[in-house]
Amino acid sequence: MRMTERSSDLAGAAGSNGDTSAAASRLAQVWAAVINGTSYVSMSQDEVVDYLGGLSTRIFEILTGDPFNARPAWDIGVDLVDSHFTSSATLERSIALLGDEVRQTMPELSVERLSAVQGAIAGGYGYALRQRTLHEQEAIREAVLDAREQAEAALRASEARFRALFTEAAIGIGLADVEGKMLDANLALQQMLGYSLEDFRAYHLHEFLHAGDPESTHEAYRQLTRGDREFFRAEKQFFRSDGDSVWTNLTVSLVRGPGGEPQYQLAMMEDVTDRHQLQDRLRYQALHDPLTGLANRALFLDRLARVFNRPEPDRRVGLCFIDLDGFKVINDSLGHHIGDELLVAVAKRLTSTVAPNDRLVARLGGDEFVLLAERSTGTEQLIEMGDQVLDVLTEPIRIGGHQLSVSASVGIVERPVIAGGSGDLVRDADVTLYWAKAEGKSRWALFDPDRNAREVARFRLSATMPAALEREEFYVDYQPLVALADGRVIAVEALVRWQHPEHGLLAPDRFIGLAEETGLIVQLGRWVLEHTCKQARRWSDEFGDDAPFVSVNLAARQSRDPALVSDVEAILRKTGLRAGQLQLELTESAVMGTAEDQTSALRKLYDMGIRIAIDDFGTGYSNLAYLRRLPVHELKIAGSFVEGLRVAGKPDPVDEQIVGALVTLAHALGLTVTAEGVETAAQAERLRDIGCEAGQGWYFARPGPPAAINRLLAAQRRR
């Protein structure tokens, strides 16, 4: 049966009805066919299929487990060896089968999860095989020791048994004197290293040790030849006579003479080259992106951690975080296969920008890449790398008949290694990449610690806002709106403040924008509205008809809240405030961009008797025909237009004309006008002459607590 046919059948077994037991059964049949004849087991083919069926079921349970844990796959490798599936060919074909067949059966399965299970099976298999070999080695060593201790009468029989074991053993065995001169080598050792017995006898054992061996191996050998230890074990690389290398599990034992003196060295070697190469392949797969062949996130983080784990004086490190602009559009419109080919092409171009050995290109996932300069020479080098990235992506990429243009945003961080850790470096690069995208894409941005500190402070401030509402850290100040004709306080505008326990008093410009971004503005606005309506009811109870109406700002997001009308109705019922004593202010841009359903909400509020005002009128784009249809009572002219009227007798003619035109427009629409930012008597007088009904600003009063408004209203009543 061809491999493609097996893949198709197996995918069908799992996908037809979602039954993993059917997929496991099919995997067992394919598995049994693949490893047939690679190991000697005392089972029929049907028994092998049944046995592998149980293992296959366990594999699917591990692969689909939540939370995922690859450790039980280790036991599957052990079980294979315990059932006498002990050849390297069995392991290699089994691991390859899992990589091919399970991927066909479960295409959504992550490469990391499958590689972890493959590695665990190989690890358990290797461990069990090694234990099996060690048991054999121990039996041989005990046989040697027993031979020395046997009586003279049994010596020849013991030597015969040893010779048979020595000659027929599947593992390589070599015998040397205490000085290391080779005396004998069995056939398995001769074949393993490619030397004849005569060749071996020309060598000393220490000649097979070389500089690449760890110092622990050299020291263990010296201790053994001195008689300070009985044996040692190591995984060691040997070189064959033809130059190829062989990896072995090596055990060297000391054989003592009748008086206990060191006499011989017995070396036993198991060839584990296949397993070692398999581990190398699995290790490579675990550390590299299967699509592009670049280093993956795990290898990138490992390389970066090494830089910070071994800091050196004056050493610097830099990162370029790269994200492709518009990749999702290409992927979604042309298909994932085109997207994958585009990623491969981009990876090749990025690799071309990396020449020195101290730089690494990695794919972090999706369309995100990173360049790591492990020994940066300074910020200029990283900026140059960022420019190179933008340059190499300038030329369009032709894929499948499509001419694709792709650009990238790059976040650059460069600093001394001692400054923070690897996690800080990655986080700052990610933040800087976000800046590059926010500033228009197809560009690089350099990390700015001051800017980052400001944004972190903003984030922390936004994170504390919900708790601040619960702790009642917000309060409301009020600023009067004064009738220009007679100086009466006719209304007060509610202005929210935040008494922060760490940062002190915060003006609205410090937190209203954050509340808009996080969505907390709806909750905060509801609190301000209820708090203000309660205060307005107290003024109404105390001052009667002389009580002012209250004006509360609505943020754009509040005006789009579906519950706005019901919230206002509920607050008015709860506080007992008449609808005519409440005015809601919306900015010009919020009102002009209002959708039909939002206009309907304003109309309902208008019909309830609530006043609607447009704040900062004249600073945005106004559609006058649209304004005519809006349910609005009042326009508030922005203070910037009143600025030119500060000096008596010397008004700015342009500002005067603008204010006059806005007042005329408002009156033509049947609206009243309030001018903001009034700071001088000259401004108040000129605005009155132009026709403004009311003014608001420091000339009349600064924002203050309710008690300040009480004093104004009491004085007004006395007059």
Side-chain angles (χ1 to χ4, degrees):
M1 179 181 289
R2 295 192 304 273
M3 185 64 75
T4 55
E5 294 171 343
R6 293 197 303 272
S7 301
S8 175
D9 291 345
L10 188 58
S16 59
N17 56 13
D19 188 353
T20 56
S21 64
S25 176
R26 180 60 191 148
L27 175 59
Q29 294 175 5
V30 178
W31 194 353
V34 167
I35 66 172
N36 184 29
T38 58
S39 297
Y40 176 78
V41 293
S42 57
M43 286 188 279
S44 67
Q45 188 67 4
D46 289 342
E47 290 172 332
V48 170
V49 171
D50 290 340
Y51 173 75
L52 295 179
L55 299 187
S56 299
T57 299
R58 290 162 60 188
I59 289 172
F60 278 107
E61 290 173 350
I62 294 167
L63 287 170
T64 58
D66 186 13
F68 174 67
N69 178 17
R71 179 61 182 82
W74 176 281
D75 298 331
I76 294 175
V78 173
D79 290 346
L80 282 170
V81 174
D82 290 345
S83 299
H84 303 288
F85 292 93
T86 57
S87 76
S88 59
T90 299
L91 176 61
E92 181 174 4
R93 295 184 186 182
S94 297
I95 294 298
L97 175 70
L98 289 178
D100 292 336
E101 305 299 334
V102 173
R103 175 58 58 191
Q104 292 289 333
T105 306
M106 306 172 67
E108 74 286 356
L109 184 68
S110 68
V111 174
E112 293 80 1
R113 183 171 285 206
L114 179 56
S115 295
V117 171
Q118 289 176 304
I121 292 174
Y125 190 96
Y127 172 79
L129 197 60
R130 184 179 180 186
Q131 291 299 112
R132 183 187 184 95
T133 302
L134 291 178
H135 289 321
E136 290 183 359
Q137 293 173 348
E138 188 64 21
I140 295 172
R141 192 174 73 86
E142 290 177 359
V144 173
L145 296 176
D146 287 342
R148 181 176 60 82
E149 296 172 357
Q150 293 298 322
E152 186 68 24
L155 183 58
R156 284 190 299 273
S158 178
E159 288 178 346
R161 288 196 301 271
F162 170 72
R163 175 53 58 185
L165 196 58
F166 181 87
T167 303
E168 301 299 331
I171 62 174
I173 304 175
L175 186 65
D177 61 21
V178 73
E179 301 298 328
K181 180 176 175 56
M182 290 292 294
L183 303 176
D184 204 352
N186 72 347
L187 183 60
L189 183 59
Q190 295 173 40
Q191 294 174 340
M192 188 183 302
L193 298 185
Y195 293 106
S196 66
L197 182 57
E198 290 73 20
D199 293 333
F200 270 118
R201 286 173 175 168
Y203 279 95
H204 279 72
L205 200 58
H206 62 78
E207 294 181 77
F208 291 99
L209 298 172
H210 50 79
D213 295 328
E215 175 57 29
S216 58
T217 301
H218 289 272
E219 178 58 26
Y221 179 72
R222 288 192 291 268
Q223 291 174 358
L224 184 131
T225 55
R226 291 197 306 264
D228 295 339
R229 66 187 304 164
E230 298 302 313
F231 68 95
F232 73 87
R233 295 191 180 103
E235 186 169 275
K236 175 173 164 43
Q237 185 181 28
F238 288 91
F239 292 99
R240 288 173 47 85
S241 61
D242 58 10
D244 289 343
S245 66
V246 178
W247 280 94
T248 69
N249 278 330
L250 170 68
T251 300
V252 181
S253 301
L254 180 66
V255 180
R256 296 181 182 272
E261 72 283 0
Q263 192 170 27
Y264 298 107
Q265 301 174 60
L266 185 69
M268 293 174 282
M269 288 180 281
E270 174 200 5
D271 187 346
V272 294
T273 304
D274 289 345
R275 192 181 75 208
H276 202 274
Q277 291 173 344
L278 176 60
Q279 290 173 340
D280 287 344
R281 288 198 299 272
L282 292 174
R283 189 179 298 111
Y284 180 88
Q285 293 174 3
L287 298 176
H288 290 79
D289 174 44
L291 177 64
T292 63
L294 296 179
N296 63 10
R297 180 184 292 271
L299 181 53
F300 159 67
L301 294 176
D302 179 69
R303 288 277 291 270
L304 189 60
R306 292 183 189 179
V307 173
F308 283 88
N309 290 341
R310 295 194 295 268
E312 302 171 7
D314 301 324
R315 183 171 181 179
R316 302 181 69 86
V317 63
L319 289 181
C320 288
F321 260 37
I322 304 163
D323 187 88
L324 302 185
D325 300 327
F327 175 76
K328 187 177 187 301
V329 175
I330 296 174
N331 213 29
D332 292 346
S333 59
L334 299 181
H336 290 274
H337 64 291
I338 297 294
D340 286 348
E341 291 186 46
L342 177 61
L343 291 174
V344 173
V346 168
K348 290 179 180 178
R349 292 194 179 185
L350 293 179
T351 304
S352 69
T353 68
V354 180
N357 293 329
D358 63 345
R359 298 188 195 177
L360 174 74
V361 185
R363 182 188 176 206
L364 301 184
D367 60 343
E368 293 184 350
F369 299 84
V370 63
L371 299 185
L372 166 64
E374 297 184 47
R375 294 186 179 275
S376 167
T377 59
T379 303
E380 294 77 10
Q381 181 191 28
L382 269 296
I383 291 176
E384 181 182 353
M385 290 169 61
D387 286 331
Q388 289 174 342
V389 169
L390 299 180
D391 289 343
V392 298
L393 296 179
T394 302
E395 187 70 23
I397 301 172
R398 177 170 290 279
I399 295 175
H402 301 283
Q403 192 84 355
L404 303 179
S405 295
V406 64
S407 63
S409 300
V410 184
I412 298 175
V413 180
E414 196 279 339
R415 63 181 53 153
V417 171
I418 60 173
S422 60
D424 296 334
L425 190 71
V426 171
R427 180 199 62 216
D428 293 344
D430 202 23
V431 168
T432 310
L433 174 61
Y434 171 79
W435 295 348
K437 281 195 170 293
E439 290 165 3
K441 303 179 180 180
S442 189
R443 67 187 63 211
W444 54 259
L446 185 64
F447 181 72
D448 179 355
D450 293 335
R451 177 179 177 180
N452 185 61
R454 290 193 299 271
E455 295 199 358
V456 169
R458 277 173 52 83
F459 171 77
R460 290 176 177 170
L461 201 61
S462 66
T464 60
M465 287 182 71
L469 263 177
E470 295 180 2
R471 293 194 296 265
E472 298 184 349
E473 294 175 7
F474 292 94
Y475 68 92
V476 179
D477 275 343
Y478 300 90
Q479 187 175 31
L481 280 67
V482 177
L484 295 177
D486 55 14
R488 287 183 305 108
V489 175
I490 58 174
V492 292
E493 181 178 355
L495 302 167
V496 65
R497 305 286 189 260
W498 185 357
Q499 187 63 49
H500 196 281
E502 297 180 15
H503 304 296
L505 180 60
L506 301 179
D509 60 351
R510 291 285 303 277
F511 60 86
I512 290 298
L514 291 176
E516 282 267 24
E517 294 173 10
T518 59
L520 191 67
I521 190 66
V522 174
Q523 183 181 351
L524 177 61
R526 189 183 300 117
W527 179 88
V528 171
L529 182 62
E530 181 173 348
H531 191 84
T532 302
C533 287
K534 287 180 181 178
Q535 180 58 53
R537 175 58 191 269
R538 286 193 285 268
W539 283 325
S540 179
D541 291 343
E542 183 174 354
F543 296 101
D545 292 339
D546 293 328
F549 66 84
V550 290
S551 190
V552 180
N553 291 282
L554 280 186
R557 193 160 183 172
Q558 282 180 274
S559 68
R560 297 192 297 268
D561 182 23
L564 174 63
V565 175
S566 60
D567 283 346
V568 173
E569 288 178 329
I571 289 173
L572 291 178
R573 283 196 305 271
K574 181 178 180 181
T575 60
L577 185 69
R578 290 184 293 106
Q581 292 178 284
L582 173 63
Q583 176 171 278
L584 299 177
E585 295 186 21
L586 294 90
T587 62
E588 184 179 1
S589 58
V591 173
M592 292 304 168
T594 301
E596 186 61 35
D597 56 342
Q598 293 156 4
T599 304
S600 174
L602 291 181
R603 174 64 62 183
K604 291 178 182 177
L605 294 171
Y606 183 94
D607 292 342
M608 288 167 56
I610 295 170
R611 295 173 56 86
I612 307 295
I614 299 180
D615 194 16
D616 288 335
F617 188 78
T619 59
Y621 170 75
S622 300
N623 183 326
L624 299 183
Y626 187 65
L627 177 63
R628 183 179 181 181
R629 299 195 301 269
L630 284 174
V632 176
H633 294 86
E634 179 173 300
L635 298 184
K636 297 185 73 175
I637 299 176
S640 57
F641 296 116
V642 181
E643 180 69 23
L645 310 180
R646 289 175 60 88
V647 181
K650 297 181 180 179
D652 182 286
V654 175
D655 282 352
E656 189 173 28
Q657 288 290 330
I658 291 175
V659 172
L662 293 177
V663 171
T664 300
L665 170 65
H667 289 168
L669 296 173
L671 308 178
T672 59
V673 180
T674 296
E676 299 178 303
V678 181
E679 298 182 354
T680 67
Q683 287 172 308
E685 182 178 352
R686 187 68 194 119
L687 289 167
R688 182 183 65 246
D689 293 342
I690 291 174
C692 283
E693 282 80 8
Q696 179 182 356
W698 286 8
Y699 172 67
F700 303 109
R702 297 195 177 198
I709 302 298
N710 287 347
R711 288 192 292 270
L712 289 175
L713 294 176
Q716 181 171 289
R717 172 183 282 180
R718 289 193 298 272
R719 289 196 301 272

